[in-house]
Amino acid sequence: MQTLLGFDFGPRKIGIAVGQLLTRSATPLTTLRSRNQQPDWPSITALIQEWQPAALVVGLPFNMDDTEVDWSPQVYRFARQLHGRFGLTVHLVDERLTSIEARHQLAARPGSRPPTREAVDALAAALILETWLCEQS
């Protein structure tokens, strides 16, 4: 089974999920906070060593009018850094509305409390990864 990691990149936090190509499903793992405006590379490295993914998927944020958000260059930079540091293929996928859907799914759980930003970001990463997995034929 090919394992992949998915990333919901944000300037302050990065949600991360793990998924399988065979099942085309993903599970939220964690949300990492940036340190000094840099991704938490030691924690990302540890996750990549633990899960040994075949590839990585990063969500690319778009506005509803199909234009990229103003901080898209940071997402492209993060994707290039992932590829450069780990030598893995990095796929970019439209992440439009994934955080809203994640918030909705978490709020719909029976007996749930208002979802934390960390839970939303990790679930958004899983939704981003599942979007990419479902696009594969």
Side-chain angles (χ1 to χ4, degrees):
M1 265 196 301
Q2 278 194 320
T3 299
L4 294 100
L5 289 181
F7 296 86
D8 179 24
F9 177 85
R12 292 182 300 273
K13 295 185 302 260
I14 302 170
I16 304 173
V18 63
Q20 303 293 330
L21 191 56
L22 181 65
T23 62
R24 296 181 192 220
S25 63
T27 303
L29 284 178
T30 190
T31 297
L32 302 175
R33 293 207 171 270
S34 296
R35 297 178 179 180
N36 301 321
Q37 299 181 353
Q38 292 293 316
D40 181 354
W41 291 115
S43 295
I44 292 170
T45 299
L47 288 169
I48 287 176
Q49 289 173 345
E50 176 182 353
W51 292 98
Q52 296 292 305
L56 308 172
V57 177
V58 176
L60 183 59
F62 283 90
N63 295 308
M64 293 310 293
D65 65 358
D66 291 334
T67 60
E68 292 181 6
V69 299
D70 59 346
W71 52 275
S72 288
Q74 291 176 278
V75 177
Y76 286 112
R77 181 171 189 252
F78 176 67
R80 284 191 310 272
Q81 288 175 321
L82 284 171
H83 175 70
R85 286 173 179 261
F86 305 108
L88 296 168
T89 301
V90 178
H91 303 281
L92 293 168
V93 66
D94 184 346
E95 72 162 39
R96 200 176 337 206
L97 302 176
T98 54
S99 292
I100 292 169
E101 177 61 20
R103 201 172 296 111
H104 174 75
Q105 286 185 21
L106 290 168
R109 292 181 179 169
S112 66
R113 296 181 177 163
T116 64
R117 283 296 310 156
E118 287 75 14
V120 170
D121 292 338
L123 182 53
L127 294 172
I128 289 165
L129 184 50
E130 285 180 348
T131 298
W132 186 86
L133 289 166
C134 289
E135 290 174 354
Q136 306 311 300
S137 51

